[in-house]
Amino acid sequence: MEIGTAGIGAARSIGAARPACHLTQRQLAARCTALSRPVTDIVVSRTERGRRLRDVDDLVALAAAFGASPLTLPLSSSEADPATAMPNGVREGV
């Protein structure tokens, strides 16, 4: 199944938010796993590259791992600045 526009936009925002929060892919995966959504660093990498988004539960877990609402993920890949895709929620060190 091909990832659509919203999935690509979400992937870009996740890819921008992770380094902005000073997290490695392994650290983000560990946060998701601690939230009862087992994820590996490979899954994070594939998600950031728009190669994999299993379902909305993945997105909810990734947003929660950032301390953000999943509603702050962009709805399209046409976001002007992916680094600001999660403006009111990404918290460093959450």
Side-chain angles (χ1 to χ4, degrees):
M1 176 186 281
E2 188 173 323
I3 296 175
T5 304
I8 296 298
R12 287 181 179 170
S13 88
I14 291 164
R18 183 188 53 75
C21 291
H22 308 288
L23 293 172
T24 65
Q25 290 175 340
R26 185 168 291 177
Q27 290 168 324
L28 180 57
R31 285 185 179 196
C32 289
T33 299
L35 293 166
S36 300
R37 186 68 179 180
V39 171
T40 66
D41 56 325
I42 293 169
V43 169
V44 172
S45 174
R46 289 179 181 162
T47 299
E48 290 179 350
R49 290 181 287 137
R51 299 248 183 223
R52 178 193 189 281
L53 284 175
R54 190 168 58 204
D55 56 31
V56 71
D57 291 331
D58 285 347
L59 294 179
V60 170
L62 287 162
F66 287 123
S69 166
L71 299 175
T72 59
L73 294 173
L75 296 178
S76 77
S77 61
S78 62
E79 291 289 322
D81 182 3
T84 62
M86 294 181 169
N88 295 318
V90 177
R91 290 182 259 162
E92 186 176 335
V94 172

